mmCIF file of all heavy atoms in Angstrom:
data_model
loop_
_atom_site.group_PDB
_atom_site.id
_atom_site.type_symbol
_atom_site.label_atom_id
_atom_site.label_comp_id
_atom_site.label_asym_id
_atom_site.label_seq_id
_atom_site.Cartn_x
_atom_site.Cartn_y
_atom_site.Cartn_z
ATOM 1 N N CYS A 40 -97.397 -34.595 -106.109
ATOM 2 C CA CYS A 40 -97.996 -34.286 -104.804
ATOM 3 C C CYS A 40 -99.507 -34.116 -104.925
ATOM 4 O O CYS A 40 -100.039 -33.839 -105.996
ATOM 5 C CB CYS A 40 -97.341 -33.018 -104.258
ATOM 6 S SG CYS A 40 -98.105 -32.345 -102.782
ATOM 7 N N HIS A 41 -100.199 -34.229 -103.792
ATOM 8 C CA HIS A 41 -101.660 -34.073 -103.780
ATOM 9 C C HIS A 41 -102.117 -32.724 -104.314
ATOM 10 O O HIS A 41 -103.171 -32.630 -104.917
ATOM 11 C CB HIS A 41 -102.186 -34.230 -102.352
ATOM 12 C CG HIS A 41 -102.108 -35.627 -101.862
ATOM 13 N ND1 HIS A 41 -101.006 -36.111 -101.194
ATOM 14 C CD2 HIS A 41 -102.969 -36.650 -101.975
ATOM 15 C CE1 HIS A 41 -101.207 -37.376 -100.913
ATOM 16 N NE2 HIS A 41 -102.379 -37.738 -101.367
ATOM 17 N N THR A 42 -101.321 -31.703 -104.048
ATOM 18 C CA THR A 42 -101.735 -30.368 -104.478
ATOM 19 C C THR A 42 -101.823 -30.286 -106.004
ATOM 20 O O THR A 42 -102.691 -29.609 -106.545
ATOM 21 C CB THR A 42 -100.750 -29.317 -103.935
ATOM 22 O OG1 THR A 42 -100.602 -29.535 -102.533
ATOM 23 C CG2 THR A 42 -101.258 -27.914 -104.163
ATOM 24 N N PHE A 88 -92.098 -23.364 -103.487
ATOM 25 C CA PHE A 88 -93.365 -22.661 -103.731
ATOM 26 C C PHE A 88 -93.551 -21.577 -102.670
ATOM 27 O O PHE A 88 -94.351 -20.668 -102.820
ATOM 28 C CB PHE A 88 -94.552 -23.624 -103.766
ATOM 29 C CG PHE A 88 -94.841 -24.322 -102.463
ATOM 30 C CD1 PHE A 88 -95.634 -23.722 -101.499
ATOM 31 C CD2 PHE A 88 -94.314 -25.582 -102.201
ATOM 32 C CE1 PHE A 88 -95.898 -24.350 -100.300
ATOM 33 C CE2 PHE A 88 -94.570 -26.225 -100.996
ATOM 34 C CZ PHE A 88 -95.361 -25.604 -100.048
ATOM 35 N N CYS A 169 -91.517 -29.991 -100.684
ATOM 36 C CA CYS A 169 -92.895 -29.824 -100.189
ATOM 37 C C CYS A 169 -93.150 -30.664 -98.947
ATOM 38 O O CYS A 169 -92.834 -30.266 -97.839
ATOM 39 C CB CYS A 169 -93.899 -30.143 -101.299
ATOM 40 S SG CYS A 169 -95.612 -29.942 -100.789
ATOM 41 N N GLY A 170 -93.715 -31.843 -99.137
ATOM 42 C CA GLY A 170 -94.261 -32.598 -98.016
ATOM 43 C C GLY A 170 -93.270 -32.933 -96.912
ATOM 44 O O GLY A 170 -93.601 -32.823 -95.725
ATOM 45 N N THR A 173 -92.373 -29.913 -94.952
ATOM 46 C CA THR A 173 -93.574 -29.492 -94.221
ATOM 47 C C THR A 173 -93.711 -30.275 -92.918
ATOM 48 O O THR A 173 -93.982 -29.710 -91.853
ATOM 49 C CB THR A 173 -94.822 -29.692 -95.097
ATOM 50 O OG1 THR A 173 -94.704 -28.857 -96.247
ATOM 51 C CG2 THR A 173 -96.099 -29.355 -94.348
ATOM 52 N N PHE A 193 -101.133 -37.463 -86.369
ATOM 53 C CA PHE A 193 -102.281 -38.006 -87.093
ATOM 54 C C PHE A 193 -101.996 -37.948 -88.587
ATOM 55 O O PHE A 193 -101.780 -36.870 -89.131
ATOM 56 C CB PHE A 193 -103.546 -37.193 -86.802
ATOM 57 C CG PHE A 193 -104.050 -37.317 -85.400
ATOM 58 C CD1 PHE A 193 -103.519 -36.544 -84.380
ATOM 59 C CD2 PHE A 193 -105.078 -38.217 -85.090
ATOM 60 C CE1 PHE A 193 -103.992 -36.652 -83.081
ATOM 61 C CE2 PHE A 193 -105.561 -38.324 -83.796
ATOM 62 C CZ PHE A 193 -105.014 -37.546 -82.777
ATOM 63 N N GLY A 194 -102.041 -39.104 -89.244
ATOM 64 C CA GLY A 194 -101.733 -39.166 -90.671
ATOM 65 C C GLY A 194 -100.301 -39.593 -90.864
ATOM 66 O O GLY A 194 -99.391 -39.057 -90.218
ATOM 67 N N ALA A 195 -100.095 -40.590 -91.716
ATOM 68 C CA ALA A 195 -98.734 -41.076 -91.983
ATOM 69 C C ALA A 195 -98.483 -41.094 -93.486
ATOM 70 O O ALA A 195 -97.978 -42.063 -94.048
ATOM 71 C CB ALA A 195 -98.530 -42.456 -91.362
ATOM 72 N N GLY A 196 -98.870 -39.998 -94.142
ATOM 73 C CA GLY A 196 -98.452 -39.764 -95.521
ATOM 74 C C GLY A 196 -97.116 -39.028 -95.474
ATOM 75 O O GLY A 196 -96.430 -39.014 -94.444
ATOM 76 N N MET A 197 -96.760 -38.395 -96.591
ATOM 77 C CA MET A 197 -95.459 -37.698 -96.642
ATOM 78 C C MET A 197 -95.314 -36.684 -95.506
ATOM 79 O O MET A 197 -94.268 -36.614 -94.856
ATOM 80 C CB MET A 197 -95.337 -36.992 -98.004
ATOM 81 C CG MET A 197 -94.041 -36.289 -98.231
ATOM 82 S SD MET A 197 -92.662 -37.385 -98.562
ATOM 83 C CE MET A 197 -92.103 -37.745 -96.945
ATOM 84 N N VAL A 198 -96.370 -35.914 -95.242
ATOM 85 C CA VAL A 198 -96.290 -34.859 -94.232
ATOM 86 C C VAL A 198 -96.205 -35.466 -92.825
ATOM 87 O O VAL A 198 -95.341 -35.092 -92.019
ATOM 88 C CB VAL A 198 -97.478 -33.888 -94.344
ATOM 89 C CG1 VAL A 198 -97.445 -32.855 -93.222
ATOM 90 C CG2 VAL A 198 -97.468 -33.186 -95.709
ATOM 91 N N GLY A 199 -97.085 -36.410 -92.528
ATOM 92 C CA GLY A 199 -97.086 -37.021 -91.197
ATOM 93 C C GLY A 199 -95.794 -37.774 -90.916
ATOM 94 O O GLY A 199 -95.246 -37.690 -89.807
ATOM 95 N N VAL A 217 -100.642 -42.240 -85.858
ATOM 96 C CA VAL A 217 -102.028 -42.698 -86.035
ATOM 97 C C VAL A 217 -102.376 -42.639 -87.518
ATOM 98 O O VAL A 217 -102.204 -41.595 -88.158
ATOM 99 C CB VAL A 217 -103.015 -41.797 -85.254
ATOM 100 C CG1 VAL A 217 -104.431 -42.357 -85.342
ATOM 101 C CG2 VAL A 217 -102.582 -41.630 -83.805
ATOM 102 N N ASP A 218 -102.844 -43.731 -88.066
ATOM 103 C CA ASP A 218 -103.269 -43.737 -89.473
ATOM 104 C C ASP A 218 -104.293 -44.864 -89.652
ATOM 105 O O ASP A 218 -104.526 -45.655 -88.732
ATOM 106 C CB ASP A 218 -102.067 -43.930 -90.408
ATOM 107 C CG ASP A 218 -102.335 -43.439 -91.827
ATOM 108 O OD1 ASP A 218 -103.101 -44.111 -92.550
ATOM 109 O OD2 ASP A 218 -101.813 -42.386 -92.211
ATOM 110 N N LEU A 219 -104.908 -44.903 -90.826
ATOM 111 C CA LEU A 219 -105.858 -45.973 -91.132
ATOM 112 C C LEU A 219 -105.151 -47.170 -91.744
ATOM 113 O O LEU A 219 -105.694 -48.280 -91.777
ATOM 114 C CB LEU A 219 -106.928 -45.460 -92.111
ATOM 115 C CG LEU A 219 -107.742 -44.256 -91.645
ATOM 116 C CD1 LEU A 219 -108.555 -43.673 -92.803
ATOM 117 C CD2 LEU A 219 -108.660 -44.665 -90.504
ATOM 118 N N SER A 220 -103.935 -46.944 -92.244
ATOM 119 C CA SER A 220 -103.251 -47.967 -93.034
ATOM 120 C C SER A 220 -102.096 -48.600 -92.267
ATOM 121 O O SER A 220 -101.189 -47.912 -91.792
ATOM 122 C CB SER A 220 -102.735 -47.323 -94.332
ATOM 123 O OG SER A 220 -101.535 -47.922 -94.756
ATOM 124 N N ARG A 223 -98.663 -47.908 -93.804
ATOM 125 C CA ARG A 223 -98.099 -46.590 -93.509
ATOM 126 C C ARG A 223 -97.607 -46.523 -92.058
ATOM 127 O O ARG A 223 -96.593 -45.891 -91.772
ATOM 128 C CB ARG A 223 -99.127 -45.504 -93.804
ATOM 129 C CG ARG A 223 -99.365 -45.424 -95.306
ATOM 130 C CD ARG A 223 -100.114 -44.224 -95.747
ATOM 131 N NE ARG A 223 -99.870 -44.037 -97.183
ATOM 132 C CZ ARG A 223 -100.065 -42.912 -97.830
ATOM 133 N NH1 ARG A 223 -100.502 -41.850 -97.197
ATOM 134 N NH2 ARG A 223 -99.822 -42.834 -99.114
ATOM 135 N N ALA A 238 -106.421 -45.775 -86.596
ATOM 136 C CA ALA A 238 -107.448 -44.809 -86.193
ATOM 137 C C ALA A 238 -108.832 -45.455 -86.172
ATOM 138 O O ALA A 238 -109.165 -46.260 -87.034
ATOM 139 C CB ALA A 238 -107.454 -43.624 -87.152
ATOM 140 N N GLU A 260 -101.501 -32.699 -86.949
ATOM 141 C CA GLU A 260 -102.544 -33.165 -87.863
ATOM 142 C C GLU A 260 -102.009 -33.073 -89.279
ATOM 143 O O GLU A 260 -101.611 -31.995 -89.727
ATOM 144 C CB GLU A 260 -103.801 -32.309 -87.689
ATOM 145 C CG GLU A 260 -104.971 -32.790 -88.514
ATOM 146 C CD GLU A 260 -104.849 -32.450 -89.985
ATOM 147 O OE1 GLU A 260 -104.252 -31.406 -90.299
ATOM 148 O OE2 GLU A 260 -105.337 -33.227 -90.815
ATOM 149 N N ALA A 261 -101.988 -34.202 -89.982
ATOM 150 C CA ALA A 261 -101.449 -34.242 -91.347
ATOM 151 C C ALA A 261 -102.354 -35.092 -92.232
ATOM 152 O O ALA A 261 -101.900 -35.986 -92.955
ATOM 153 C CB ALA A 261 -100.028 -34.791 -91.339
ATOM 154 N N THR A 262 -103.654 -34.825 -92.148
ATOM 155 C CA THR A 262 -104.608 -35.565 -92.990
ATOM 156 C C THR A 262 -105.445 -34.632 -93.866
ATOM 157 O O THR A 262 -105.955 -35.056 -94.902
ATOM 158 C CB THR A 262 -105.596 -36.381 -92.133
ATOM 159 O OG1 THR A 262 -106.496 -35.487 -91.451
ATOM 160 C CG2 THR A 262 -104.883 -37.240 -91.102
ATOM 161 N N GLY A 263 -105.670 -33.411 -93.436
ATOM 162 C CA GLY A 263 -106.551 -32.497 -94.171
ATOM 163 C C GLY A 263 -108.018 -32.666 -93.811
ATOM 164 O O GLY A 263 -108.876 -31.972 -94.359
ATOM 165 N N ASN A 264 -108.299 -33.577 -92.868
ATOM 166 C CA ASN A 264 -109.680 -33.860 -92.453
ATOM 167 C C ASN A 264 -109.993 -33.046 -91.187
ATOM 168 O O ASN A 264 -109.308 -33.183 -90.169
ATOM 169 C CB ASN A 264 -109.770 -35.372 -92.190
ATOM 170 C CG ASN A 264 -111.133 -35.816 -91.724
ATOM 171 O OD1 ASN A 264 -111.824 -35.109 -90.994
ATOM 172 N ND2 ASN A 264 -111.514 -37.015 -92.130
ATOM 173 N N VAL A 267 -110.356 -34.906 -87.949
ATOM 174 C CA VAL A 267 -109.078 -35.334 -87.381
ATOM 175 C C VAL A 267 -108.385 -34.134 -86.712
ATOM 176 O O VAL A 267 -107.753 -34.270 -85.668
ATOM 177 C CB VAL A 267 -108.178 -35.992 -88.446
ATOM 178 C CG1 VAL A 267 -106.839 -36.395 -87.855
ATOM 179 C CG2 VAL A 267 -108.881 -37.207 -89.049
ATOM 180 N N GLN A 270 -109.766 -33.955 -83.401
ATOM 181 C CA GLN A 270 -109.186 -34.996 -82.543
ATOM 182 C C GLN A 270 -107.793 -34.588 -82.068
ATOM 183 O O GLN A 270 -107.408 -34.837 -80.924
ATOM 184 C CB GLN A 270 -109.078 -36.325 -83.311
ATOM 185 C CG GLN A 270 -110.425 -36.951 -83.650
ATOM 186 C CD GLN A 270 -110.271 -38.207 -84.487
ATOM 187 O OE1 GLN A 270 -109.187 -38.570 -84.921
ATOM 188 N NE2 GLN A 270 -111.384 -38.884 -84.732
ATOM 189 N N VAL A 284 -101.523 -27.881 -86.870
ATOM 190 C CA VAL A 284 -102.327 -28.315 -88.020
ATOM 191 C C VAL A 284 -101.537 -28.061 -89.299
ATOM 192 O O VAL A 284 -101.189 -26.915 -89.606
ATOM 193 C CB VAL A 284 -103.662 -27.540 -88.056
ATOM 194 C CG1 VAL A 284 -104.434 -27.866 -89.323
ATOM 195 C CG2 VAL A 284 -104.495 -27.848 -86.814
ATOM 196 N N ALA A 285 -101.252 -29.133 -90.042
ATOM 197 C CA ALA A 285 -100.549 -28.983 -91.328
ATOM 198 C C ALA A 285 -101.454 -29.335 -92.505
ATOM 199 O O ALA A 285 -101.211 -28.905 -93.626
ATOM 200 C CB ALA A 285 -99.298 -29.858 -91.354
ATOM 201 N N GLY A 286 -102.498 -30.110 -92.249
ATOM 202 C CA GLY A 286 -103.375 -30.538 -93.342
ATOM 203 C C GLY A 286 -104.173 -29.370 -93.911
ATOM 204 O O GLY A 286 -104.470 -28.408 -93.207
ATOM 205 N N VAL A 287 -104.494 -29.472 -95.183
ATOM 206 C CA VAL A 287 -105.270 -28.433 -95.853
ATOM 207 C C VAL A 287 -106.715 -28.927 -95.976
ATOM 208 O O VAL A 287 -106.983 -29.932 -96.630
ATOM 209 C CB VAL A 287 -104.694 -28.126 -97.254
ATOM 210 C CG1 VAL A 287 -105.549 -27.093 -97.965
ATOM 211 C CG2 VAL A 287 -103.249 -27.645 -97.135
ATOM 212 N N ALA A 288 -107.632 -28.219 -95.311
ATOM 213 C CA ALA A 288 -109.038 -28.626 -95.318
ATOM 214 C C ALA A 288 -109.714 -28.209 -96.617
ATOM 215 O O ALA A 288 -109.203 -27.374 -97.370
ATOM 216 C CB ALA A 288 -109.759 -27.992 -94.129
ATOM 217 N N SER A 310 -99.432 -24.477 -89.702
ATOM 218 C CA SER A 310 -98.060 -24.515 -90.205
ATOM 219 C C SER A 310 -98.068 -24.636 -91.714
ATOM 220 O O SER A 310 -98.555 -25.624 -92.263
ATOM 221 C CB SER A 310 -97.336 -25.708 -89.572
ATOM 222 O OG SER A 310 -95.992 -25.755 -89.957
ATOM 223 N N SER A 311 -97.561 -23.619 -92.392
ATOM 224 C CA SER A 311 -97.444 -23.670 -93.847
ATOM 225 C C SER A 311 -95.998 -23.943 -94.214
ATOM 226 O O SER A 311 -95.085 -23.253 -93.728
ATOM 227 C CB SER A 311 -97.885 -22.328 -94.439
ATOM 228 O OG SER A 311 -97.583 -22.296 -95.817
ATOM 229 N N PHE A 312 -95.786 -24.953 -95.010
ATOM 230 C CA PHE A 312 -94.432 -25.397 -95.364
ATOM 231 C C PHE A 312 -93.585 -25.555 -94.089
ATOM 232 O O PHE A 312 -92.409 -25.218 -94.051
ATOM 233 C CB PHE A 312 -93.768 -24.427 -96.359
ATOM 234 C CG PHE A 312 -92.524 -25.003 -97.011
ATOM 235 C CD1 PHE A 312 -92.559 -26.242 -97.633
ATOM 236 C CD2 PHE A 312 -91.323 -24.315 -97.002
ATOM 237 C CE1 PHE A 312 -91.416 -26.774 -98.225
ATOM 238 C CE2 PHE A 312 -90.170 -24.837 -97.594
ATOM 239 C CZ PHE A 312 -90.225 -26.059 -98.204
ATOM 240 N N GLY A 313 -94.247 -26.063 -93.037
ATOM 241 C CA GLY A 313 -93.531 -26.355 -91.796
ATOM 242 C C GLY A 313 -92.895 -25.146 -91.145
ATOM 243 O O GLY A 313 -91.981 -25.281 -90.320
ATOM 244 N N GLN A 358 -103.330 -44.808 -103.097
ATOM 245 C CA GLN A 358 -102.462 -44.830 -101.911
ATOM 246 C C GLN A 358 -101.394 -45.902 -102.043
ATOM 247 O O GLN A 358 -101.069 -46.605 -101.090
ATOM 248 C CB GLN A 358 -103.286 -45.025 -100.636
ATOM 249 C CG GLN A 358 -103.315 -43.750 -99.826
ATOM 250 C CD GLN A 358 -103.783 -43.946 -98.390
ATOM 251 O OE1 GLN A 358 -103.519 -44.946 -97.748
ATOM 252 N NE2 GLN A 358 -104.466 -42.952 -97.896
ATOM 253 N N ILE A 361 -95.723 -43.769 -101.005
ATOM 254 C CA ILE A 361 -95.786 -42.397 -100.492
ATOM 255 C C ILE A 361 -95.598 -41.395 -101.625
ATOM 256 O O ILE A 361 -96.372 -40.463 -101.782
ATOM 257 C CB ILE A 361 -94.719 -42.190 -99.389
ATOM 258 C CG1 ILE A 361 -95.008 -43.136 -98.209
ATOM 259 C CG2 ILE A 361 -94.692 -40.736 -98.910
ATOM 260 C CD1 ILE A 361 -96.320 -42.888 -97.501
ATOM 261 N N ARG A 362 -94.578 -41.560 -102.415
ATOM 262 C CA ARG A 362 -94.315 -40.596 -103.488
ATOM 263 C C ARG A 362 -93.858 -41.290 -104.768
ATOM 264 O O ARG A 362 -93.008 -42.183 -104.731
ATOM 265 C CB ARG A 362 -93.191 -39.640 -103.089
ATOM 266 C CG ARG A 362 -93.655 -38.384 -102.376
ATOM 267 C CD ARG A 362 -94.496 -37.490 -103.287
ATOM 268 N NE ARG A 362 -94.846 -36.257 -102.638
ATOM 269 C CZ ARG A 362 -95.910 -36.079 -101.850
ATOM 270 N NH1 ARG A 362 -96.752 -37.066 -101.617
ATOM 271 N NH2 ARG A 362 -96.147 -34.890 -101.299
HETATM 272 N N1 LIG B 1 -99.216 -27.028 -94.693
HETATM 273 C C1 LIG B 1 -98.569 -27.216 -95.829
HETATM 274 O O1 LIG B 1 -97.752 -26.390 -96.253
HETATM 275 C C2 LIG B 1 -98.801 -28.483 -96.589
HETATM 276 C C3 LIG B 1 -97.855 -28.943 -97.539
HETATM 277 C C4 LIG B 1 -98.109 -30.173 -98.161
HETATM 278 C C5 LIG B 1 -99.256 -30.877 -97.887
HETATM 279 N N2 LIG B 1 -100.156 -30.392 -96.982
HETATM 280 C C6 LIG B 1 -101.376 -31.097 -96.610
HETATM 281 O O2 LIG B 1 -101.047 -32.059 -95.630
HETATM 282 C C7 LIG B 1 -101.984 -33.126 -95.668
HETATM 283 C C8 LIG B 1 -101.257 -34.442 -95.738
HETATM 284 O O3 LIG B 1 -100.522 -34.544 -96.955
HETATM 285 P P1 LIG B 1 -99.894 -35.947 -97.375
HETATM 286 O O4 LIG B 1 -99.168 -35.730 -98.656
HETATM 287 O O5 LIG B 1 -99.140 -36.525 -96.236
HETATM 288 O O6 LIG B 1 -101.250 -36.758 -97.633
HETATM 289 P P2 LIG B 1 -101.565 -38.320 -97.654
HETATM 290 O O7 LIG B 1 -102.908 -38.454 -98.254
HETATM 291 O O8 LIG B 1 -100.442 -39.067 -98.276
HETATM 292 O O9 LIG B 1 -101.620 -38.737 -96.123
HETATM 293 C C9 LIG B 1 -102.734 -38.555 -95.335
HETATM 294 C C10 LIG B 1 -102.808 -39.730 -94.396
HETATM 295 O O10 LIG B 1 -103.877 -39.518 -93.475
HETATM 296 C C11 LIG B 1 -104.442 -40.762 -93.174
HETATM 297 N N3 LIG B 1 -105.767 -40.595 -92.587
HETATM 298 C C12 LIG B 1 -106.948 -40.372 -93.209
HETATM 299 N N4 LIG B 1 -107.943 -40.315 -92.310
HETATM 300 C C13 LIG B 1 -107.377 -40.498 -91.106
HETATM 301 C C14 LIG B 1 -107.896 -40.549 -89.777
HETATM 302 N N5 LIG B 1 -109.208 -40.418 -89.540
HETATM 303 N N6 LIG B 1 -107.042 -40.720 -88.757
HETATM 304 C C15 LIG B 1 -105.716 -40.858 -88.994
HETATM 305 N N7 LIG B 1 -105.171 -40.835 -90.228
HETATM 306 C C16 LIG B 1 -106.006 -40.662 -91.263
HETATM 307 C C17 LIG B 1 -104.448 -41.476 -94.492
HETATM 308 O O11 LIG B 1 -104.544 -42.891 -94.327
HETATM 309 C C18 LIG B 1 -103.101 -41.055 -95.088
HETATM 310 O O12 LIG B 1 -102.080 -41.985 -94.793
HETATM 311 C C19 LIG B 1 -102.884 -32.819 -96.864
HETATM 312 O O13 LIG B 1 -104.042 -32.160 -96.407
HETATM 313 C C20 LIG B 1 -102.040 -31.876 -97.696
HETATM 314 O O14 LIG B 1 -102.841 -31.050 -98.509
HETATM 315 C C21 LIG B 1 -99.932 -29.220 -96.330
#
Side-chain angles (χ1 to χ4, degrees):
C40 172
H41 289 91
T42 309
F88 65 86
C169 181
T173 297
F193 292 83
M197 183 74 273
V198 176
V217 185
D218 201 287
L219 302 168
S220 147
R223 292 193 161 199
E260 185 284 328
T262 70
N264 179 325
V267 178
Q270 293 176 354
V284 174
V287 177
S310 183
S311 171
F312 194 52
Q358 251 196 35
I361 298 297
R362 270 294 184 274

